[in-house]
Amino acid sequence: EPEVTQTPSHQVTQMGQEVILRCVPISNHLYFYWYRQILGQKVEFLVSFYNNEISEKSEIFDDQFSVERPDGSNFTLKIRSTKLEDSAMYFCASTGRIYEKLFFGSGTQLSVL
Amino acid sequence: AQTVTQSQPEMSVQEAETVTLSCTYDTSESNYYLFWYKQPPSRQMILVIRQEAYKQQNATENRFSVNFQKAAKSFSLKISDSQLGDTAMYFCAFREYGNKLVFGAGTILRVKS
């Protein structure tokens, strides 16, 4: 089965630093998402992306966050100035059609020190 | 806003027995999808089963089946012949038009030998 790939699997950064989390969605998919999960809590929606623009974002997704699909294959999440509370597992997901199942990547564990 | 409620923070079951995980949701929409995702200790998100709201027949995937009660907005997961590998966090999730998945808080399932 095709996979969504996320790199790195674990990233450690200092508070205030910028981080970029990378994802390669499944090649023929059109809808892309970022979710996050703080340890021990539920998975929360951050942002959805379609046709090269954000289609929906949550309250969590403030001005410190941005997404980009720079080259038609990668889908990135940037956090400009990380805070301690940004420490979480970040999941990328994609789907080919609305209502089809979401394929999740294996996640990037972000630790902000 | 849509909400998904999983009222059982933790459940235990003996190997080979059957267990049912509960989920209720709230929506004013008539057309939507419901999902159960499994998250093992690796924290990867694995789709277990999916149910379309317009289908009356309950979805089944091998040992996994659902009891979908649309009027009651209930979507429980039944695991038959439980195996040690079923030990994981299970998330119920809801998705309506717009593609965003809304997750419940999760139920930790422990299968005991």
Side-chain angles (χ1 to χ4, degrees):
Chain A
E1 191 172 61
E3 290 184 346
V4 175
T5 306
Q6 287 187 246
T7 55
S9 57
H10 194 179
Q11 179 145 7
V12 181
T13 190
Q14 294 291 325
M15 190 169 57
Q17 295 295 305
E18 175 183 287
V19 294
I20 297 176
L21 309 183
R22 301 181 191 280
C23 170
V24 179
I26 294 169
S27 62
N28 60 347
H29 283 183
L30 301 174
Y31 301 86
F32 314 109
Y33 309 83
W34 284 101
Y35 288 81
R36 81 170 186 190
Q37 185 186 30
I38 295 170
L39 186 63
Q41 297 186 22
K42 67 179 175 182
V43 180
E44 300 174 290
F45 168 77
L46 291 178
V47 65
S48 59
F49 192 86
Y50 171 71
N51 200 26
N52 283 321
E53 60 183 22
I54 291 173
S55 47
E56 187 176 0
K57 60 183 180 180
S58 71
E59 295 173 351
I60 303 167
F61 195 88
D62 62 22
D63 292 344
Q64 293 299 312
F65 291 87
S66 62
V67 289
E68 196 176 33
R69 188 157 159 80
D71 56 11
S73 62
N74 291 285
F75 179 51
T76 61
L77 174 68
K78 183 193 291 186
I79 309 175
R80 288 189 185 81
S81 177
T82 50
K83 305 176 205 145
L84 296 176
E85 54 265 37
D86 293 328
S87 295
M89 178 75 93
Y90 288 80
F91 291 102
C92 174
S94 70
T95 186
R97 295 182 185 178
I98 209 158
Y99 286 134
E100 289 292 316
K101 75 173 189 179
L102 289 192
F103 289 78
F104 281 86
S106 54
T108 293
Q109 177 64 51
L110 177 65
S111 299
V112 182
L113 306 178
Chain B
Q2 299 81 33
T3 57
V4 178
T5 302
Q6 293 179 248
S7 58
Q8 306 151 314
E10 294 188 32
M11 296 277 286
S12 293
V13 64
Q14 286 296 128
E15 202 175 2
E17 297 196 343
T18 295
V19 64
T20 299
L21 308 184
S22 301
C23 173
T24 59
Y25 57 94
D26 185 28
T27 182
S28 56
E29 298 295 323
S30 59
N31 195 17
Y32 49 86
Y33 279 59
L34 295 158
F35 305 83
W36 279 96
Y37 279 88
K38 171 184 177 181
Q39 188 180 45
S42 66
R43 297 187 73 185
Q44 186 156 8
M45 297 292 287
I46 302 165
L47 179 67
V48 174
I49 200 163
R50 180 179 77 159
Q51 174 79 43
E52 295 92 335
Y54 63 86
K55 287 188 178 178
Q56 293 186 343
Q57 188 173 6
N58 289 324
T60 299
E61 288 286 343
N62 301 313
R63 297 182 295 108
F64 299 88
S65 61
V66 298
N67 183 6
F68 174 48
Q69 301 289 327
K70 191 172 184 179
K73 295 180 183 174
S74 170
F75 182 61
S76 60
L77 174 69
K78 185 170 85 170
I79 306 174
S80 305
D81 186 25
S82 297
Q83 300 175 359
L84 295 177
D86 296 334
T87 292
M89 175 79 92
Y90 286 82
F91 290 101
C92 178
F94 167 93
R95 183 165 158 209
E96 62 174 32
Y97 190 86
N99 246 7
K100 179 178 73 176
L101 264 181
V102 177
F103 287 88
T107 296
I108 297 171
L109 176 66
R110 294 188 175 88
V111 180
K112 299 180 178 178
S113 58

